[in-house]
Amino acid sequence: MFLKMARLCYNCITHLTKGFTLTELLILIAAVAVLSLAVGYRYFSKTDYLAETAYDQLVADIRSVQLITMGQLAKKTVQFYPGTGEYFIDGERKRLPEGTVVERTTLPGNALVFNTLGEPDFPDSHDRYIYLSGGKAIRIYAVTGKIE
């Protein structure tokens, strides 16, 4: 009797676990769809990521030049070449991440010069901008030299 019962229960278990139910299949399809959307979003937003990285790098370099200028009490220059991904800090060549360029600037002569107080050396009191590909813009305040 016990063997018949064991065989009956074993058959029930194997019969119930032969495949996916419709609910399990729908949950699996939904999970795969969510994962593929997440991966696709990350892949297609690479240009946004590069633009943000270029922005952060350039802001950090400009702030660094500003601090070095104040520490050494000597003027320093950051020279930009619109249409390229290169800029020069006192003759040293720097590169933006691949695929990002400085589109244009409103700087006089495309050069950002800091005086010994860390202020930008502009002929007037208008703020200046550096425009990067990807829609990012860096603002340099004329009076304070704040960069954002």
Side-chain angles (χ1 to χ4, degrees):
M1 169 108 171
F2 177 71
L3 286 176
K4 272 187 168 182
M5 207 169 176
R7 188 178 299 148
L8 179 64
C9 289
Y10 176 76
N11 287 339
C12 292
I13 292 171
T14 57
H15 177 66
L16 292 175
T17 59
K18 283 190 177 179
F20 291 114
T21 64
L22 182 60
T23 306
E24 291 171 332
L25 193 57
L26 290 174
I27 290 172
L28 180 65
I29 290 171
V32 169
V34 167
L35 287 174
S36 65
L37 285 173
V39 169
Y41 174 76
R42 189 69 165 151
Y43 176 76
F44 290 115
S45 67
K46 184 177 180 181
T47 56
D48 295 340
Y49 176 74
L50 288 176
E52 190 68 33
T53 302
Y55 173 85
D56 290 343
Q57 174 186 331
L58 197 50
V59 166
D61 280 346
I62 292 171
R63 286 179 181 160
S64 174
V65 168
Q66 189 179 29
L67 290 173
I68 290 170
T69 298
M70 291 186 294
Q72 294 179 353
L73 298 175
K75 286 187 174 185
K76 299 286 181 185
T77 303
V78 182
Q79 181 68 48
F80 297 97
Y81 295 96
T84 69
E86 295 181 346
Y87 57 99
F88 291 82
I89 298 175
D90 276 348
E92 180 185 349
R93 184 174 94 170
K94 299 279 192 165
R95 292 183 147 279
L96 294 173
E98 188 175 332
T100 55
V101 297
V102 175
E103 289 182 344
R104 63 187 175 93
T105 73
T106 59
L107 298 167
N110 293 318
L112 176 58
V113 181
F114 288 105
N115 63 22
T116 56
L117 298 175
E119 300 166 339
D121 199 6
F122 296 153
D124 54 25
S125 61
H126 295 358
D127 297 343
R128 301 291 199 259
Y129 294 89
I130 302 166
Y131 296 97
L132 303 174
S133 58
K136 292 286 186 183
I138 297 171
R139 181 178 184 178
I140 300 127
Y141 291 88
V143 177
T144 62
K146 181 179 176 182
I147 302 150
E148 61 179 12

